[in-house]
Amino acid sequence: MFAWALLSAVLWSLVGVGSQRSSLFNIKGFLYGTVGHPVKIYVKLHQTSPVLICMDVDRANKETVDPTYLWTGPNENTLKENSQINITNTGELVLKNFTESLSGQYSCNLSYKTIKAETQEETTINKKYDFLVFAYREPDYSYHMAVRFTTNSCVGRSNDLLFRVLKKILDNLISDLLCHVIEPSYKCHFVKIPEKDFVYELFIAFQVNPFAPGWKSMCNHSADCEDTTNHNILQARDRIEEFFRSQAYILQHHFNRTVPAMHFVDHSFQIARIDNCRPGFGKNEGLHSNCASCCVVCSPGTFSPDVDVTCQVCVSVHIYGAKACP
């Protein structure tokens, strides 16, 4: 409330101054294979994968005689249990603390027998199931915002003073969230209002970013801070939106007939979310339609060196999650 009142007071005085995924999950979190068609799976970074079943749904609903299971990993070597890989004697695979390097194709060879009741003749059946497993993370959110204020003129220092005061108030409003205002700018335009006279208006734009100096202190030494920073930027967005909503309320209910020449233009607040992916990750709706909003690990042959939203082509890259092109 103090910040709202402060801006209103400044406006008055200036008058006198010249925002795990998969293709085949079942409700229990188990994921079955499909013969001849790789199943794509998306596992959030540092989380646990769903349970990968070395069977298709149809086979799982039938008795299986003398089954054996053999899992191979992205390097085509036979998988062995360790702190990140768990394989059960019934052919279930779970990947723990999933990282970029665990991404790739996992294959399971199922072998079982069919037995004819009349002759007891045995036949060995072999099936192969492929799973394409990708690490992903949520994008880092930031918000582009725009507002308008009326002004007396497009010349004079009052416009610049309003701009600087507004930025300071907004920064103070979200500083405890370690978010801040970046790339602020404004332009003054001569606007014809329908059925009214011409007015001068300031078109102000800025971006709200969750990485103010010291932002890593919010992470509490966690392996991945995106959940914290995204939670904070959403709070910052709501606070700023409420702030400008209050400006409209104050203008309507506290100034009566005398309105300062410089004031917030009601309904002018606009907001758009901007997504960025961390290095080694990118978005690709065509390749990863089941995780279109995710930042998915860059596949071999691609890399992402900076905060962007796409992986770039680099034929010399042979790993997942590359951050540079050799």
Side-chain angles (χ1 to χ4, degrees):
M1 181 61 75
F2 175 75
W4 304 341
L6 177 60
L7 181 60
S8 298
V10 169
L11 292 175
W12 184 261
S13 65
L14 284 176
V15 178
V17 179
S19 231
Q20 305 142 31
R21 309 185 190 198
S22 167
S23 55
L24 288 173
F25 268 127
N26 74 6
I27 60 174
K28 294 182 179 180
F30 292 88
L31 198 148
Y32 296 88
T34 302
V35 175
H37 299 283
V39 177
K40 288 185 178 181
I41 309 160
Y42 301 89
V43 183
K44 192 169 184 180
L45 205 62
H46 306 300
Q47 301 299 312
T48 299
S49 75
V51 180
L52 279 59
I53 307 296
C54 188
M55 284 187 179
D56 52 74
V57 175
D58 183 60
R59 169 48 47 191
N61 288 324
K62 300 176 181 177
E63 69 173 15
T64 304
V65 179
D66 293 339
T68 61
Y69 314 92
L70 179 64
W71 280 98
T72 57
N75 55 8
E76 297 186 359
N77 292 332
T78 300
L79 290 181
K80 296 181 179 180
E81 288 210 43
N82 57 37
S83 60
Q84 290 182 284
I85 297 174
N86 181 39
I87 303 175
T88 71
N89 59 2
T90 56
E92 297 175 354
L93 171 65
V94 176
L95 304 169
K96 302 177 181 178
N97 189 25
F98 201 82
T99 57
E100 298 98 313
S101 61
L102 288 177
S103 299
Q105 179 169 307
Y106 290 78
S107 299
C108 184
N109 289 285
L110 168 66
S111 177
Y112 63 94
K113 296 176 181 177
T114 60
I115 303 174
K116 288 186 178 181
E118 300 85 357
T119 62
Q120 295 297 296
E121 179 184 353
E122 298 181 3
T123 303
T124 300
I125 306 296
N126 294 294
K127 291 186 176 181
K128 183 183 178 184
Y129 303 98
D130 294 324
F131 300 84
L132 295 175
V133 189
F134 302 94
Y136 83 93
R137 63 191 308 159
E138 295 297 332
D140 290 316
Y141 306 153
S142 60
Y143 286 92
H144 184 272
M145 300 183 181
V147 294
R148 291 160 64 174
F149 280 77
T150 61
T151 183
N152 276 329
S153 170
C154 284
V155 296
R157 67 188 186 96
S158 58
N159 296 335
D160 189 59
L161 182 56
L162 167 64
F163 178 69
R164 288 188 284 112
V165 169
L166 177 62
K167 181 184 181 302
K168 185 174 182 179
I169 289 174
L170 295 178
D171 272 332
N172 289 339
L173 194 63
I174 59 178
S175 61
D176 63 307
L177 301 171
L178 291 182
C179 298
H180 62 158
V181 172
I182 63 172
E183 301 179 6
S185 64
Y186 79 91
K187 289 184 178 181
C188 187
H189 294 280
F190 196 41
V191 181
K192 173 64 174 69
I193 306 298
E195 300 181 359
K196 292 184 180 180
D197 206 345
F198 288 96
V199 296
Y200 294 101
E201 289 189 1
L202 302 179
F203 288 62
I204 300 174
F206 54 92
Q207 188 172 323
V208 181
N209 181 281
F211 303 114
W215 67 271
K216 289 186 178 180
S217 64
M218 305 285 285
C219 299
N220 297 321
H221 308 291
S222 64
D224 198 340
C225 198
E226 66 187 27
D227 291 338
T228 300
T229 54
N230 283 346
H231 175 73
N232 289 346
I233 195 68
L234 291 174
Q235 288 192 70
R237 175 203 63 185
D238 292 344
R239 289 185 189 180
I240 292 175
E241 190 170 9
E242 177 59 28
F243 168 76
F244 285 111
R245 189 181 296 116
S246 72
Q247 294 305 305
Y249 180 86
I250 291 171
L251 184 66
Q252 294 176 6
H253 297 86
H254 291 268
F255 285 115
N256 297 322
R257 295 182 179 179
T258 306
V259 177
M262 300 186 76
H263 63 78
F264 171 69
V265 177
D266 195 10
H267 303 300
S268 68
F269 178 72
Q270 296 181 333
I271 184 170
R273 197 179 88 181
I274 303 170
D275 288 355
N276 289 302
C277 295
R278 304 273 177 99
F281 291 79
K283 288 187 175 185
N284 188 325
E285 186 174 353
L287 184 62
H288 303 296
S289 58
N290 290 329
C291 208
S293 64
C294 311
C295 292
V296 180
V297 64
C298 294
S299 298
T302 64
F303 76 107
S304 177
D306 50 22
V307 178
D308 202 350
V309 291
T310 57
C311 297
Q312 305 173 32
V313 175
C314 179
V315 294
S316 59
V317 169
H318 304 293
I319 62 172
Y320 282 89
K323 300 177 177 64
C325 183

